Amino acid sequence: MGSVLKLYIQVAFAVKIVSCSITMVDNTTSKSPIDLSTAFLLRVDQSGQGDYKRIQEAIDAVPSNNSELFFIWIKPGIYREKVVVPVDKPFITLSGTEASDTVITWNDSGDIFESPTLTILATDFIARYLTIQNTHGNTGKAVALRVSGDKAAFYGCRITSYQDTLLDDAGRHYYSNCYIEGAVDFIFGNAASLYERCHLHSMAEESGAMMAQKRESPLENTAFIFLGGKITGVGSTFLGRAWGAYSRVVFALTYMSGVVKPEGWNDWGDSSKQRSVYYGEYKCSGPGANRSKRVTWSRSLTKDEAAPFLTKGMIGGRGWLRPSPTHFKKYQTS
């Protein structure tokens, strides 16, 4: 089997498409505007059979202020490195084939902006079928993923740590069919994010908190919205606690196991926040969805109240969520 045909088959499997085509293009002559059907292909393989051995090397090879899609295909393996997608490198996709066998891992703690295993600062980023983990343990803040760029999407990813797993910091973000695990504030920040059909797993043995949303003004169009999906875990956990005075979190059509504490929500020791936070639930199911003992300042949403949170409208998804490319071209640096 020729090398081009092998590449054709491998990439088609990686992006789960039926067909694609590959052409050779020299980057010195390619200055066309963005074509969402076509991407430059960079391959990362620890064995040396790809274009790069490390993920960061592939990201570094993307030209600054690029205006075309770059698809970085990561061959299965455990990649022990801290990875940053800088602000001047938009339109990058990092893709494995299965999250279970493509792992980006590091072991760091302390500052929430410095400890992440993977940091996204650029706009128009996509991650597919990756495990992103921080293995520091349960002795402090240890971020696995920081998302500070606008228009970022994650598909079929596993994101795991213990405290402060996912810093969903700023911008509009979309998470689809992701698994997110932690114990203390394991999704936190002030982004406008939709989590669709995601699995949240709490590791808190006694009293944890899943969300710490930091909306600080009623003028901020930010929130964490969980649509579908499920909550599992051990011990017990709050659905969320009020990091910001106007913290906003909504769970809709979500299965909640008995790990959810009956009161559901926590004001983080500041009762004044009870008047301004927005914590809503809509048609959730399971033993943890029983609202008979919920705090009185949380909301059982009506159909009309829930409607704005049941689509991708809040994150403007129709304007920036994009399909996988169907054509690939080799990127040549010289």
Side-chain angles (χ1 to χ4, degrees), residues 150-206:
D150 191 25
K151 297 182 290 185
F154 298 80
Y155 300 92
C157 290
R158 292 177 57 88
I159 307 162
T160 68
S161 184
Y162 188 84
Q163 181 173 345
D164 298 343
T165 302
L166 168 54
L167 172 50
D168 202 5
D169 183 35
R172 294 165 292 172
H173 307 150
Y174 178 63
Y175 301 82
S176 174
N177 291 288
C178 291
Y179 173 88
I180 306 167
E181 178 183 289
V184 181
D185 303 333
F186 64 90
I187 302 176
F188 70 112
N190 195 23
S193 295
L194 174 61
Y195 295 77
E196 193 165 13
R197 299 181 302 278
C198 290
H199 180 181
L200 311 181
H201 187 76
S202 173
M203 297 297 292
E205 294 183 0
E206 294 184 2

Side-chain angles (χ1 to χ4, degrees), residues 111 113 188 211 217 261 270 288 304:
D111 186 271
F113 296 107
F188 70 112
M211 310 300 134
S217 162
K261 294 176 73 68
D270 184 351
D304 288 343

